[in-house]
């Protein structure tokens, strides 16, 4: 794998950005990349966790696009390549990302929005107090609903169905959580929603759409949820409930309360391990997990369509909100 050595003086374009609530201090030699990333930057207005530095050198002589991803890691350093012309080094301890990319990749907004930014938040997030959790997040009248579940449980199709039934969409697969005063705030990245091929049975709008090979090798629809489904996106919200999703054979739906101990164990098992050198990050992550576990939590078991599950969850959320004022 190629080595990377970057002279900061050769990176004249500098600006501060914000992704999923995390500040990003960008330096690059390519003005078009800076402009494009500025367009993807979203400020939530909340106090951001400590940020990270992103230094990117663009090789304007190379027109090779991004290839398949390959990762290597040792302790607090992770290297990622997307073909020979696109190489990145993540230093988790120092919260830095250094990269060299082709001009074709620098101009590819989908690469940055769908791959590089989510990967960066996943790798560097814990060192900034931003905890990536494998769950979807929806928002209803100011209250956030976290939906966890094993891969294949139907989080993404349910997220779309919920977004079409009155909820606002935050994220469908990975949600980034950080501390906010005495609680937590959940962030999304506005990356496309990924739906498996059978989703076409539930959403007619997917007919005629092309399936793509996603980064993990699955064949899926990758859609801009606002454009394809006409729903509203929220960039952040304050979570009020955690739902752990499970499919069942019997007809109907069942909500079963979870203890905080069960919720803590479940969330802890779904987050990525951290290097031993990052004790401060480990402590911050444990505090965030504790905040998630302190939310009202339920197992939600159901059979049927995502629309049926969305109806049950909407009624559940409305009942929960009403009980607060009784």
């Amino acid at each position: 794998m190629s080595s990377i050595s970057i002279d900061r003086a050769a990176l004249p374009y500098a600006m501060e950005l914000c992704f999923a609530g995390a500040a990003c201090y960008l330096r690059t030699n390519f003005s078009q990349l800076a402009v494009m990333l500025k367009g993807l930057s979203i400020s939530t207005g909340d106090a951001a966790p400590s940020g990270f530095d992103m230094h990117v050198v663009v090789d304007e002589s190379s027109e090779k696009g991004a290839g398949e991803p390959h990762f290597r890691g040792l302790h607090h350093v992770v290297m990622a390549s997307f073909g020979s012309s696109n190489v990145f080094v993540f230093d988790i301890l120092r919260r830095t990302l250094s990269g060299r990319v082709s001009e074709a990749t620098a101009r590819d907004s989908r690469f940055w929005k769908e791959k590089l930014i989510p990967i960066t938040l996943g790798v560097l997030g814990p060192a900034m107090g931003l905890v990536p959790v494998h769950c979807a997040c929806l928002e209803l009248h100011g209250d956030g609903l976290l939906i966890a579940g094993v891969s294949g449980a139907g989080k993404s199709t349910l997220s779309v169905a919920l977004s079409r039934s009155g909820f606002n969409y935050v994220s469908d697969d990975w949600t980034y959580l950080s501390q906010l005063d005495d609680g937590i705030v959940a962030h999304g990245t506005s990356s496309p929603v990924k739906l498996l091929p059978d989703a076409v049975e539930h959403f007619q709008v997917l007919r005629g759409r092309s399936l793509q090979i996603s980064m993990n090798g699955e064949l899926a629809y990758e859609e801009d949820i606002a454009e394809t489904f006409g729903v509203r996106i929220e960039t952040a919200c304050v979570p009020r409930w955690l739902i752990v999703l499970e499919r069942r054979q019997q007809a109907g739906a069942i909500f079963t309360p979870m203890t905080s101990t069960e919720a803590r164990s479940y969330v802890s098992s779904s987050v990525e391990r951290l290097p031993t050198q990052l004790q401060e990050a480990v402590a911050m992550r444990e505090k965030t997990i504790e905040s998630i576990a302190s939310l009202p939590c339920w197992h939600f078991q159901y059979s049927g369509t995502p629309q049926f599950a969305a109806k049950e969850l909407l009624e559940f959320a409305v009942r929960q909100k009403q009980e607060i004022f009784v």
Side-chain angles (χ1 to χ4, degrees), residues 52 71-80 82 88-97 115-132 174 176 215 272-275 278 281 285:
F52 65 99
F71 298 90
R72 297 178 187 174
L74 181 63
H75 302 309
H76 62 279
V77 176
V78 177
M79 301 185 72
F82 299 83
F88 299 89
V89 177
F90 303 85
D91 187 324
I92 305 173
L93 191 61
R94 295 173 178 81
R95 301 196 299 272
T96 61
L97 166 60
K115 295 183 178 180
L116 203 280
I117 292 173
I119 289 171
T120 301
L121 294 172
V123 174
L124 298 182
M128 302 181 289
L130 193 68
V131 180
W174 286 93
Y176 304 89
M215 195 167 64
E272 298 289 339
R273 297 179 62 184
L274 291 175
L278 302 175
R285 185 176 69 178

Side-chain angles (χ1 to χ4, degrees), residues 315-326:
E315 293 175 355
F316 166 84
V318 170
R319 287 196 304 270
Q320 291 295 314
K321 291 173 71 70
Q322 289 174 342
E323 289 176 7
I324 294 175
F325 299 103
V326 173

Side-chain angles (χ1 to χ4, degrees), residues 275-297:
T276 55
Q277 297 93 330
L278 302 175
Q279 289 303 312
E280 184 178 349
V282 170
M284 286 191 294
R285 185 176 69 178
E286 289 305 310
K287 184 177 180 181
T288 301
I289 291 174
E290 193 66 34
S291 295
I292 298 171
S294 68
L295 298 172
C297 304

